[in-house]
Amino acid sequence: MPHPPEGPLAGLSAIVTGAGRGLGRAEALELARLGAAVVVNDYGQPGPGGTSHAEGHGGGSGEASDAPAEEVAAEIRAAGGRAVAHLGDVGDFESARALVDTAVREHGKLDILVNNAGILRDRMVFSMSEAEWDAVIRVHLKGHFNTTRFAAAHWRERSKEAGAPVYGRIVNTSSEAFLAGSAGQPNYAAAKGGIVGLTTSTALALAKYGVTTNVICPRARTRMTEDVFAGFAEPEPGHLDALSPEHVAPLVGYLSSPSASAVNGQLLVVHGGMVAVVERPRVAAKFDASKEAFSFEELEGVLGAYYEGRPAGETFGAGEVLGLKRG
């Protein structure tokens, strides 16, 4: 992974959460390849001579540890890039503050935030425990909020001091589980839907400060999703796996770059050599009350007739996204 002396992200500082493995690792390596200085975040314990858990700065010895973030940061540095590791929990408010502070302290400022960290606790809604619900919402949705809150405050303050917009990019991570529905993942689908709402709200709130906020729905074979994609075909020898994280990372690089300045508040599906732009919801039908307010009987008439003509089993979920593929 050689780093060019200059690239589209040269001079910029980035945070990637959940970057010790899988998607986050590929994204951190890609941002570094494009020239960014990276804070590699993943929850863990420091290896010998590695990062302190509380502060999350420093390097990494290159030795195996419970902190894969240190290994990714060391890999970036070995290729000529700039990177430090942060081992904090993004679901913790103060840890997220420390993560943003680490980027500012180590690299002078923060320009790019890639929210990727997440966990799975799959179960049908009638069997799910409160702990399984809370854990997934905490890491995915609250984790996205926590980092966004402190990054947004950083950019707002810089913009006020400069008297002009600054450079800021947020790339959030949702899922097709939100778009299409996933019967065995009510916690995950709800968290990912919340992230889309957070994205569109943040996009509107931060645009005047020069910050864009977008969200991707990636499909990738990682340690977290190995059971989900167990039935998908493995790649043929000599070919890149259609579910490789390397299909996703370039889109994150693009959305983080100056080239994507006009892209804001958007949702994109990405996997297997394909990127699809998902259109915002649109009103399918509208009914007016014959008098000042609807009665039950009138609603039964107009809505009953409308839904009788709709396809059986159709919901608000967009199941067709699951059939998207290259070609």
Side-chain angles (χ1 to χ4, degrees), residues 22 24 33 44 64 67 91 99 102 138 181 193 242 244 263 271-272 308:
R33 187 187 71 81
L99 173 57
T102 296
R138 178 184 182 275
S244 169
V263 185
H271 59 80
E308 282 179 3

Side-chain angles (χ1 to χ4, degrees), residues 71-310:
E71 298 172 10
V72 175
E75 183 178 351
I76 290 171
R77 292 194 300 272
R82 296 177 60 200
V84 296
H86 178 275
L87 308 187
D89 173 10
V90 295
D92 179 81
F93 194 68
E94 291 304 318
S95 181
R97 184 199 302 270
L99 173 57
V100 173
D101 287 347
T102 296
V104 175
R105 180 180 64 248
E106 296 289 338
H107 301 139
K109 58 187 171 69
L110 174 64
D111 302 293
I112 300 161
L113 170 62
V114 179
N115 283 310
N116 168 76
I119 60 172
L120 291 178
R121 298 290 186 271
D122 292 353
R123 204 173 299 279
M124 299 296 287
V125 69
F126 43 75
S127 302
M128 182 162 288
S129 70
E130 181 181 18
E132 289 166 338
W133 173 272
D134 288 348
V136 169
I137 297 296
R138 178 184 182 275
V139 176
H140 286 275
L141 183 53
K142 187 183 178 188
H144 272 61
F145 160 73
N146 286 344
T147 55
T148 297
R149 185 258 183 257
F150 292 110
H154 170 71
W155 288 319
R156 179 174 180 266
E157 186 60 31
R158 281 176 53 199
S159 179
K160 288 172 63 178
E161 290 177 357
V166 295
Y167 188 98
R169 298 285 187 270
I170 300 176
V171 181
N172 289 331
T173 306
S174 183
S175 169
E176 293 168 300
F178 154 67
L179 288 172
S182 181
Q185 297 180 303
N187 48 3
Y188 183 71
K192 292 306 192 181
I195 287 167
V196 174
L198 174 64
T199 298
T200 54
S201 174
T202 305
L204 292 174
L206 300 187
K208 66 180 179 181
Y209 301 117
V211 179
T212 66
T213 309
N214 295 288
V215 60
I216 64 172
C217 293
R219 189 187 299 180
R221 199 191 310 271
T222 68
R223 191 176 68 161
M224 190 178 86
T225 62
E226 59 186 355
D227 292 336
V228 176
F229 295 125
F232 281 65
E234 295 288 338
E236 296 180 5
H239 291 271
L240 183 64
D241 186 354
L243 294 176
S244 169
E246 279 67 34
H247 287 296
V248 178
L251 176 61
V252 172
Y254 167 73
L255 292 174
S256 301
S257 75
S259 299
S261 61
V263 185
N264 191 33
Q266 301 298 307
L267 187 152
L268 301 96
V269 176
V270 54
H271 59 80
M274 179 218 72
V275 174
V277 178
V278 179
E279 192 172 29
R280 64 183 177 86
R282 295 186 181 275
V283 176
K286 174 181 173 291
F287 306 97
D288 296 323
S290 59
K291 297 181 180 179
E292 186 174 10
F294 273 110
S295 66
F296 172 86
E297 291 76 13
E298 188 176 14
L299 283 172
E300 184 179 36
V302 296
L303 291 180
Y306 175 75
Y307 282 109
E308 282 179 3
R310 303 295 296 178

